[in-house]
Amino acid sequence: EIVMTQSPATLSVSPGERATLSCRASQSVYNSLAWFQQKPGQAPRLLIYGVSTRATGIPARFSGTGSGTEFILAISSLQSEDSAVYYCHQYNHWPSYTFGQGTKLEIK
Amino acid sequence: QVQLVESGGGLVRPGGSLRLSCAASGFPFSDHYMTWMRQAPGRGLEWVSYISGNGESIYYADSVKGRFTISRDSARNSLYLQMNRLRPEDTALYYCAAAILSLKGNPLFDSWGQGTLVTVSS
């Protein structure tokens, strides 16, 4: 099983600033890496797939980079509505898909 | 607009059974892979089972193999999960999700329902 490790577990950032969330895979997932956002009481929402492609309706403030085993989700010009838990997800190793444990982003 | 609405969760004793349902709309149901994912309290997301659009390819996580059965009904645009011999560790929020995006390679489950809570406890 591919283990996805996210850091930090919790991140507190001021409005208007930039947040950087990290995700490491225990082995290469090539470019089959996605990011989901989950707010309390809501379903996970796809933000990014294929490492860097934004899903429909996702603002350009969200960007993804990386390759192989190291990935980054950056969120610029943070807004209060960005407060959520963010999960990275590998969909390279079918059918054993896995998710990271999540990074909780708090807006100060 | 894609909509996935789960139902059927509840409180059940260890060893009991439940059947989850997911009503799908807004996309050609029989063309897309579907999945059940779950999220235990305070834990991350875990895949439970997948089923192909025509129902011919089915996969189960080792933790539920032999106890859970996934199925789909294209006439009703519905996905199901029959859960037998339930254990306390099956307690979780169960999500129905669909692989709507047309990607090369493996399916990505990009559209999710709101989930239905299953609690296994005596």
Side-chain angles (χ1 to χ4, degrees):
Chain A
E1 174 181 290
I2 307 287
V3 177
M4 307 299 289
T5 303
Q6 292 186 241
S7 61
T10 304
L11 184 60
S12 184
V13 186
S14 298
E17 294 191 341
R18 176 184 175 92
T20 301
L21 288 66
S22 297
C23 174
R24 173 177 292 178
S26 60
Q27 56 185 279
S28 179
V29 298
Y30 300 92
N31 68 341
S32 297
L33 190 285
W35 291 92
F36 286 85
Q37 176 193 64
Q38 187 176 32
K39 297 181 180 180
Q42 296 187 19
R45 174 194 183 198
L46 179 67
L47 297 176
I48 300 279
Y49 62 94
V51 177
S52 60
T53 302
R54 283 187 300 277
T56 301
I58 303 303
R61 303 186 295 105
F62 292 84
S63 62
T65 58
S67 64
T69 61
E70 302 281 346
F71 303 93
I72 297 285
L73 173 68
I75 312 170
S76 61
S77 305
L78 278 167
Q79 303 174 6
S80 57
E81 68 202 46
D82 299 330
S83 180
V85 178
Y86 292 82
Y87 294 97
C88 63
H89 165 55
Q90 68 81 16
Y91 54 102
N92 183 69
H93 292 262
W94 173 262
S96 298
Y97 287 175
T98 50
F99 294 82
Q101 285 300 105
T103 290
K104 183 176 183 180
L105 176 61
E106 298 174 344
I107 311 301
K108 292 178 187 174
Chain B
Q1 181 184 355
V2 174
Q3 272 204 312
L4 299 166
V5 180
E6 303 93 336
S7 61
L11 174 63
V12 62
R13 295 192 186 280
S17 298
L18 273 179
R19 188 193 195 209
L20 306 184
S21 299
C22 171
S25 60
F27 65 100
F29 183 69
S30 58
D31 286 354
H32 297 275
Y33 257 93
M34 299 290 295
T35 184
W36 289 99
M37 301 271 191
R38 67 185 180 184
Q39 187 171 32
R43 295 181 61 180
L45 293 155
E46 174 189 24
W47 77 278
V48 173
S49 183
Y50 310 129
I51 186 168
S52 60
N54 60 12
E56 292 182 358
S57 296
I58 287 176
Y59 303 85
Y60 296 102
D62 287 345
S63 57
V64 307
K65 201 173 292 183
R67 300 187 299 122
F68 290 11
T69 303
I70 192 171
S71 62
R72 62 193 299 161
D73 183 339
S74 293
R76 290 183 165 82
N77 280 5
S78 291
L79 177 72
Y80 305 101
L81 186 68
Q82 177 66 43
M83 303 186 295
N84 298 332
R85 291 184 281 143
L86 282 160
R87 304 167 180 168
E89 55 264 36
D90 295 318
T91 294
L93 188 59
Y94 283 73
Y95 292 103
C96 159
I100 302 296
L101 284 172
S102 294
L103 301 178
K104 291 181 182 178
N106 296 333
L108 169 63
F109 297 100
D110 55 293
S111 295
W112 294 54
Q114 294 294 316
T116 186
L117 182 62
V118 172
T119 303
V120 185
S121 175
S122 54

